[in-house]
Amino acid sequence: MSITGSRVIHTADYEHLRAIINWKQAGQELGHIEGEPLNIGYVCVDRNVDLGRGEKLALVHEGHGGEIRQFTYRDVMLLTNGWAHFLRGLGVRPLDRVCLFLDRHPELYIGMMSVLKTGAIAEPLFSAFGEEALFARASDSGAMAIITERHHLGKVRKIRDRLPSLQVVIVIDHEEEGRPLREGEVAFRMMDHRRDTFPIARTSPESPSLLHYTSGTTGAPKGAMHVHGSVLAQYLTSKTVLDLQEDDIYWCTADPGWVTGTSYGIIGPWSVGVTQVVVNAGFTSDRWYETIEKHRVTVWYTAPTAIRMLMKDGLDPVRRHDLSSLRHMCSVGEPLNPEAVRWGREAFGLDFHDTFWQTETGAIMVTNLPGMPVKPGSMGRPFPALEAAIVDEKTGVPITEPGKIGLIAIRPPWPSMMRTYWNNSATYYKKFLNGWYICGDRASLDKEGYFWFSGRDDDVINTAGHLVGPFEIESALLEHPAVAESAAIGKPDPMNMEVVKAFVALRPGFTPSEDLELDIMNFVRKRLSPLAMPQEIEFVDRVPKTRSGKILRRVLKAKERGEAIGDTSTMDDD
Ligand code: PRX
C-alpha cells in the first residue's frame, strides 16, 4: 500500500503498512511545514480552494422536508470568513470557548469552521440536550458565546443567569416578527455575511481547537481538549480507513455533538477535500436508503445500532433502492455484532469495517483497513501509524497470549490525542499506566493480532453508541421531589446494546406507581436528554452502597444480568 498522492492502493500486507504509514507523512501531504502555523479552519476550507477545489461541492445538505442546500468549498470559505469577522466583532478572541448548540443545519458545520478560524475553541453540543446537560458543559468550559437557534433558545435562557462567563448568544434564524431577542442575544444570518478574506488565527499544532464533553463513571461530564494538530490523524485515517478519495460522495450519519460527527463528519472529509452529505432528519430505513440512492453515496460511516435497525426492516427496503454507488462501509461506537457484518454482506454485497476509538483519542485507533480480511465480530488491528496493545490491568505490561483479556492501550503520543480534560488534569493523568494510554475497555487478541472487544472497564452506559454517565443520571433523579436515593446502570438491550435502567428509593409519603415512574422518566429526559432517560425504573427500599457511601452499581448490574454478585464485603448492609 502506498499513500503517495491522493490514492490509496489496497493490500493486506499489514506489516508493510506499518513501515510506510506515519503522521509525518500526513503533515507533508497537508503541506504543513514544521514550526509553521496550522489551523483546521484553513486546512478544511481555504486550502481546498487554493488546491483548485473551489467549485467542488463541500456540503450537500438535506433538511427535514427533503429540501436540498448545496455549498461549494468557495461558498464555505466566503461564509466562514464572514462569520469569523462577525465573531471577532463580538469580542470572541483566541482560546475563548464557543458552544454550538444547533440541529444539523449547514450553520453547524460552517459555524464550527468559523470558530476555528478565529482561534477560539469550538464546543459542539447535542441539540437534544436539556437545560441541565447544557448547563453542566457550558459552565465547566466557561463558554463566552453560545450559537443556537430559536427552537433551542428557551433552554439557553433558562440557565443564562447561572453562566457568568457567557457574554453573547448568537441566534441563526431569528425573525424580526418573532418574539424579540433579549439583552445579550444577537441575530446572525449566515447567508448575509460573505467576505473574501479573514486573517486566520496563526494557531500552532498544539493550540486548542475543540472541547468534546464525554461521560465518565463518576463526576460531571469531562471536556476532552483537542488541538489543531489533530487534523493530521483525522486526515490520514479518513484516507486510509474510510478510504476517502477525490471523487467520493461521503455520508457520516453521526451528529457533531458526538466526536464521530466532528472528526469524521467535518474535519476528516473536508481535510481530504471530498463532498459530504448531511441529513438533518430522523431515522427510517427508507429515508436512509433514499439518501444513498439520491446522492450516489460511495462511502458510508455509521453505527451498529443503526445497522441493527436497518436489519430489523429486512431486505425488502434494500431491494427497493439502487444502492450500487456504495463501495465502502464503516461502523463505530459499539461492538459490531457478527450478524450485522453478515447481513451487510447479504444486503449490500460489502463488509462493514469496524472502527474502534473514543472522544479522547480523537481518531480511529483499531480498525479493519480496506483490503484487510474482515473477521466478523473483531474490531480489526491497530491503525498502522500507532502502537496499540492489550495490557495487564495492574501492571500495564502487554499481554500477547491469544484469547487472554486485558485493557486496550495505546502508546502516546499521536496527533489527535486529547491534551487534557478541561479543568480536570488529575483525571487525565489517571488515564496512563506503564507509559500507555488506557482506553478503559477490555479486549483480547487472537493469533493474528486482531482485537476482540469484550466490554467496558467501568460503569458508563453505552446506549445506541452514546455514552451516558450514571452519575449524571443519578444526580438528575435526586432532583425529583419523590426521589431519596438513586442508581443507574446499563441494561442489555438487543437493539441499542444497552438502555438506562434506574433504581429509585422513594421519600416518605411517596408510593410507587406507573404515573410516578413516567413522571420521573420525563423529568430526566427534559433535564438531560432522551438518551439519558431511564427506559425502566425499579422502585427499591434502598440502593446498595459501600460503607463509604459509593453506589454499588456492579451489584445491581450482576442481579440484572443474573450473574454472580462477587465480593460484597464492603457493602453497608451485609
Ligand atoms: O467503549 C468503547 C465504545 O465507545 C467508547 C467511546 O465512546 P465515545 O467517546 O462516545 O466515542 C465513540 C465514537 C468514537 C469506547 O471506549 N466503542 C467505540 N467504538 C467501538 C466501541 N466498542 C466496541 N467496538 C467499537 N468499534
Side-chain angles (χ1 to χ4, degrees):
M1 174 164 175
S2 123
I3 51 166
T4 48
S6 64
R7 200 159 172 86
V8 179
I9 299 150
H10 304 151
T11 153
D13 186 349
Y14 182 77
E15 288 313 318
H16 177 56
L17 299 185
R18 285 183 59 84
I20 62 164
I21 293 186
N22 56 68
W23 308 122
K24 210 169 162 187
Q25 186 169 2
Q28 283 164 4
E29 288 188 23
L30 288 175
H32 179 245
I33 299 165
E34 265 184 51
E36 291 286 308
L38 180 67
N39 185 293
I40 294 175
Y42 171 74
V43 173
C44 292
V45 183
D46 299 38
R47 181 171 180 270
N48 287 306
V49 178
D50 293 348
L51 290 177
R53 297 191 186 109
E55 306 323 311
K56 180 173 178 176
L57 287 177
L59 178 63
V60 177
H61 182 273
E62 203 177 302
H64 256 299
E67 65 283 6
I68 303 220
R69 291 170 72 189
Q70 298 188 328
F71 298 83
T72 63
Y73 275 105
R74 188 178 310 287
D75 291 330
V76 177
M77 183 180 79
L78 301 179
L79 292 168
T80 47
N81 288 344
W83 204 339
H85 275 292
F86 183 80
L87 290 171
R88 280 262 169 98
L90 289 174
V92 173
R93 294 286 168 263
L95 303 184
D96 282 341
R97 276 75 64 207
V98 178
C99 298
L100 293 124
F101 189 50
L102 293 168
D103 293 345
R104 278 182 254 177
H105 304 299
E107 281 84 349
L108 172 52
Y109 299 78
I110 295 170
M112 192 177 296
M113 287 296 140
S114 311
V115 172
L116 294 175
K117 279 188 167 184
T118 68
I121 303 174
E123 183 182 335
L125 298 171
F126 279 112
S127 59
F129 278 151
E131 68 254 18
E132 283 310 313
L134 172 67
F135 173 73
R137 292 153 177 86
S139 68
D140 184 68
S141 70
M144 77 82 77
I146 297 180
I147 301 172
T148 192
E149 58 189 280
R150 276 182 297 167
H151 187 57
H152 301 299
L153 184 58
K155 294 187 269 188
V156 179
R157 285 179 173 172
K158 272 198 190 144
I159 57 166
R160 176 137 201 190
D161 287 352
R162 293 193 280 147
L163 294 172
S165 308
L166 184 63
Q167 291 175 30
V168 63
V169 178
I170 300 162
V171 186
I172 62 157
D173 56 353
H174 176 66
E175 279 164 12
E176 286 308 318
E177 63 273 19
R179 274 182 285 169
L181 291 179
R182 297 181 183 171
E183 198 188 325
E185 297 171 349
V186 291
F188 175 77
R189 286 205 170 261
M190 178 179 81
M191 297 310 288
D192 299 342
H193 295 259
R194 287 171 182 260
R195 294 281 286 268
D196 285 333
T197 57
F198 176 80
I200 297 177
R202 292 172 64 80
T203 43
S204 86
E206 286 304 309
S207 302
S209 56
L210 273 131
L211 259 190
H212 251 298
Y213 276 81
T214 180
S215 299
T217 305
T218 52
K222 305 177 297 270
M225 192 191 84
H226 288 286
V227 294
H228 282 268
S230 71
V231 69
L232 268 58
Q234 288 138 356
Y235 165 81
L236 198 59
T237 47
S238 293
K239 272 186 65 175
T240 47
V241 180
L242 304 180
D243 197 23
L244 293 183
Q245 300 170 21
E246 190 71 41
D247 296 331
D248 277 316
I249 308 288
Y250 168 70
W251 184 30
C252 171
T253 58
D255 187 295
W258 195 38
V259 70
T260 307
T262 49
S263 289
Y264 297 105
I266 308 183
I267 302 173
W270 280 357
S271 66
V272 177
V274 299
T275 299
Q276 73 157 328
V277 174
V278 168
V279 183
N280 183 28
F283 172 91
T284 67
S285 46
D286 264 318
R287 177 89 192 243
W288 275 34
Y289 296 137
E290 264 163 43
T291 301
I292 295 171
E293 181 172 23
K294 190 189 312 170
H295 301 291
R296 307 297 298 155
V297 170
T298 57
V299 179
W300 184 27
Y301 198 14
T302 189
T305 293
I307 300 169
R308 287 192 290 269
M309 283 156 74
L310 295 173
M311 278 170 79
K312 192 169 118 252
D313 288 344
L315 290 172
D316 280 351
V318 181
R319 304 288 178 243
R320 280 201 294 275
H321 298 274
D322 172 8
L323 307 178
S324 58
S325 57
L326 273 180
R327 67 167 188 83
H328 190 49
M329 316 191 300
C330 294
S331 164
V332 62
E334 317 148 55
L336 179 62
N337 25 340
E339 310 83 72
V341 176
R342 291 193 202 102
W343 182 81
R345 284 177 183 163
E346 194 184 348
F348 311 108
L350 298 168
D351 278 331
F352 275 109
H353 291 71
D354 196 8
T355 67
F356 166 89
W357 57 292
Q358 305 179 303
T359 304
E360 288 87 344
T361 69
I364 294 164
M365 298 284 109
V366 177
T367 186
N368 289 288
L369 289 164
M372 215 170 103
V374 170
K375 299 186 188 185
S378 161
M379 311 191 302
R381 303 188 68 182
F383 181 69
L386 285 166
E387 198 185 337
I390 303 295
V391 301
D392 180 272
E393 63 186 283
K394 294 212 169 63
T395 60
V397 172
I399 299 171
T400 46
E401 192 185 320
K404 189 154 180 225
I405 292 173
L407 298 177
I408 303 178
I410 320 284
R411 176 74 74 191
W414 63 95
S416 62
M417 180 183 176
M418 68 166 167
R419 296 305 194 265
T420 190
Y421 288 122
W422 193 259
N423 284 337
N424 196 349
S425 53
T427 306
Y428 171 77
Y429 288 114
K430 283 191 202 143
K431 300 284 294 187
F432 299 89
L433 177 65
N434 190 30
W436 294 92
Y437 166 77
I438 305 296
C439 295
D441 289 293
R442 287 178 280 113
S444 61
L445 286 174
D446 68 14
K447 282 204 293 280
E448 287 165 313
Y450 279 64
F451 282 55
W452 295 78
F453 186 80
S454 107
R456 282 189 67 90
D457 193 41
D458 59 18
D459 290 334
V460 172
I461 301 160
N462 187 333
T463 180
H466 294 271
L467 302 189
V468 196
F471 178 80
E472 219 182 348
I473 302 168
E474 287 154 4
S475 308
L477 285 165
L478 289 178
E479 299 286 320
H480 190 283
V483 177
E485 290 181 58
S486 66
I489 61 161
K491 177 182 162 138
D493 180 79
M495 188 58 73
N496 294 299
M497 181 170 156
E498 291 184 327
V499 290
V500 177
K501 172 164 181 183
F503 295 83
V504 163
L506 293 175
R507 287 182 186 284
F510 290 92
T511 40
S513 72
E514 227 168 76
D515 281 353
L516 183 58
E517 188 181 358
L518 279 179
D519 190 63
I520 297 174
M521 285 174 174
N522 275 322
F523 183 80
V524 177
R525 182 179 57 80
K526 266 195 85 186
R527 290 175 90 86
L528 297 181
S529 73
L531 280 172
M533 181 182 86
Q535 301 289 319
E536 187 182 330
I537 294 181
E538 185 172 327
F539 293 106
V540 291
D541 291 337
R542 56 189 305 199
V543 163
K545 295 201 181 116
T546 61
R547 291 199 182 94
S548 60
K550 255 177 81 180
I551 298 168
L552 275 166
R553 297 191 196 94
R554 70 180 167 80
V555 170
L556 296 167
K557 271 208 257 189
K559 271 195 193 155
E560 194 63 41
R561 291 165 203 231
E563 294 163 2
I565 292 175
D567 178 18
T568 55
S569 58
T570 59
M571 272 174 80
D572 66 355
D573 57 352
D574 57 343

